[in-house]
């Protein structure tokens, strides 16, 4: 299976070194505000995105029974450094459903393709450096892990295992283990159908009891619209949305996610 690129973009004039410098500086500038760390749920699907530039708009919610809904509006800027490395700077906010939002986190996210069709299952590596908002000084965390992707006819399958480590002044928590999976059937460019699932298992070396773990899954829709004529300067508008049921933060609840990308 060959990992396919979502769309083709013009060669960027951005400097690779400048992009890395801006991302590093910006991660340190998030104001310290008391909010709960957000789980950030979008399935990581690696592609060859050499030269691709992305404006990434995200919105997702968490709703527990009998409690107000919490929302996470997010915006990101991404760039395909080369055919194997995609990087993105993502700014997240949090608040109630009336949009009384405050800063939540700033993340520098990276994916590296380790294979590109040599094996039946393609392998990539994900790593994020996250600056979380908090009242007790800077709270940092790192997230990393392998990403697996393959095709079965017109159906794409993804399975990701992620590890998260938080760094706080009095933090003694071990590395946490999470997972993602996705099934996506390419029915039509404007409309793909699928399923998504996410979960948190607890410490990687000793999972939590089943009642303390979180698992949720549900239907998802995907698609894209070509805004150009297919040449090197073409632009694409891609979208995805999902509604998930199960447990969130170890409690019964639901999540809704939507993501729109302008790719050029």
């Amino acid at each position: 299976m060959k990992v396919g690129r979502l769309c083709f973009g013009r060669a960027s004039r951005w400097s690779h070194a400048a992009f890395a410098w801006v991302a590093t500086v910006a991660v340190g500038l998030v104001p310290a505000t008391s909010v709960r760390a957000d789980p950030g749920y979008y399935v990581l699907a690696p592609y060859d995105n050499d030269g691709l530039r992305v404006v990434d708009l995200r919105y997702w919610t968490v709703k527990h029974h009998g409690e107000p809904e919490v929302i996470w509006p997010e915006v990101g800027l991404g760039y395909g450094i080369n055919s194997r490395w995609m990087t993105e700077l993502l700014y997240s906010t949090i608040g109630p459903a009336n949009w009384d939002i405050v800063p939540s986190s700033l993340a520098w996210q990276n994916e590296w393709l380790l294979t590109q069709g040599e094996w039946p299952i393609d392998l990539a590596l994900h790593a994020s450096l996250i600056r979380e908002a908090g009242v007790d000084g800077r709270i940092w965390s790192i997230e990393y892990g392998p990403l697996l992707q393959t095709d079965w006819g017109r159906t794409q399958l993804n399975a990701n295992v992620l590890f998260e480590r938080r760094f706080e002044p009095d933090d003694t928590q071990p590395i946490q283990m999470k997972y993602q999976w996705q099934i996506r059937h390419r029915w039509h460019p404007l409309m793909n159908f699928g399923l998504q699932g996410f979960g948190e298992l607890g410490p990687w070396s000793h999972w939590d009891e089943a009642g303390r773990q979180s698992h949720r899954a549900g239907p998802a829709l995907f698609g894209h619209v070509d805004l150009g004529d297919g040449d090197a300067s073409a632009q694409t508008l891609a979208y995805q949305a999902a509604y998930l049921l199960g447990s969130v933060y170890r409690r019964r609840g639901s999540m809704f996610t939507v993501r729109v990308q302008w790719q050029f």
Side-chain angles (χ1 to χ4, degrees):
M1 187 278 295
K2 183 176 178 60
V3 175
R5 141 179 216 176
L6 286 176
C7 70
F8 295 93
R10 293 172 292 181
S12 173
R13 298 178 182 177
W14 296 358
S15 163
H16 301 173
F19 187 92
W21 180 84
V22 170
T24 304
V25 171
V27 166
L29 295 180
V30 176
T33 307
S34 179
V35 296
R36 190 172 188 174
D38 56 72
Y41 289 109
Y42 298 88
V43 174
L44 299 164
Y47 292 93
D48 171 2
N49 286 317
D50 186 14
L52 184 69
R53 291 169 289 182
V54 175
V55 177
D56 196 359
L57 303 177
R58 307 180 182 190
Y59 174 86
W60 55 281
T61 70
V62 171
K63 180 70 169 68
H64 291 115
H65 180 69
E67 296 184 7
E69 185 178 63
V70 180
I71 64 172
W72 278 266
E74 301 176 315
V75 61
L77 297 175
Y79 176 49
I81 301 292
N82 53 45
S83 64
R84 293 185 180 270
W85 180 13
M86 182 72 184
T87 189
E88 181 171 2
L89 191 64
L90 184 67
Y91 178 68
S92 302
T93 59
I94 182 176
N98 64 4
W99 283 81
D100 184 16
I101 56 176
V102 295
S104 174
S105 66
L106 189 65
W108 185 13
Q109 178 177 306
N110 296 272
E111 281 82 46
W112 293 274
L113 282 169
L114 303 182
T115 65
Q116 292 179 297
E118 303 95 318
W119 299 347
I121 298 177
D122 275 300
L123 173 65
L125 179 64
H126 163 79
S128 287
L129 173 65
I130 305 166
R131 164 67 164 92
E132 301 177 13
V135 295
D136 299 323
R138 295 181 178 180
I139 301 175
W140 297 86
S141 62
I142 57 173
E143 181 184 81
Y144 57 92
L147 314 178
L148 302 175
Q149 179 171 290
T150 190
D151 284 341
W152 184 28
R154 299 176 65 180
T155 302
Q156 176 183 300
L157 307 174
N158 293 85
N160 306 327
V161 179
L162 303 176
F163 303 91
E164 183 180 31
R165 177 71 168 90
R166 287 169 57 87
F167 298 93
E168 302 181 47
D170 58 350
D171 179 40
T172 58
Q173 281 193 339
I175 297 173
Q176 301 293 304
M177 186 173 178
K178 306 184 288 186
Y179 69 84
Q180 306 176 340
W181 60 264
Q182 177 175 281
I183 302 172
R184 175 175 179 173
H185 182 69
R186 301 183 183 94
W187 176 66
H188 187 278
L190 295 176
M191 181 71 71
N192 296 179
F193 301 97
L195 297 169
Q196 291 182 346
F198 304 86
E200 298 79 46
L201 303 175
W204 73 275
S205 58
H206 182 69
W207 294 357
D208 289 336
E209 298 177 357
R212 292 178 56 82
Q213 297 177 11
S214 294
H215 307 275
R216 68 211 142 272
L221 296 176
F222 316 82
H224 71 271
V225 178
D226 292 329
L227 304 179
D229 55 7
D231 60 16
S233 62
Q235 303 177 28
T236 297
L237 194 66
Y239 78 89
Q240 63 173 278
Y243 183 70
L244 312 170
L245 291 172
S247 53
V248 187
Y249 297 125
R250 301 175 176 175
R251 300 162 55 198
R252 299 296 297 177
S254 63
M255 294 181 65
F256 170 72
T257 70
V258 63
R259 181 180 186 181
V260 177
Q261 289 184 314
W262 176 35
Q263 305 170 343
F264 60 101

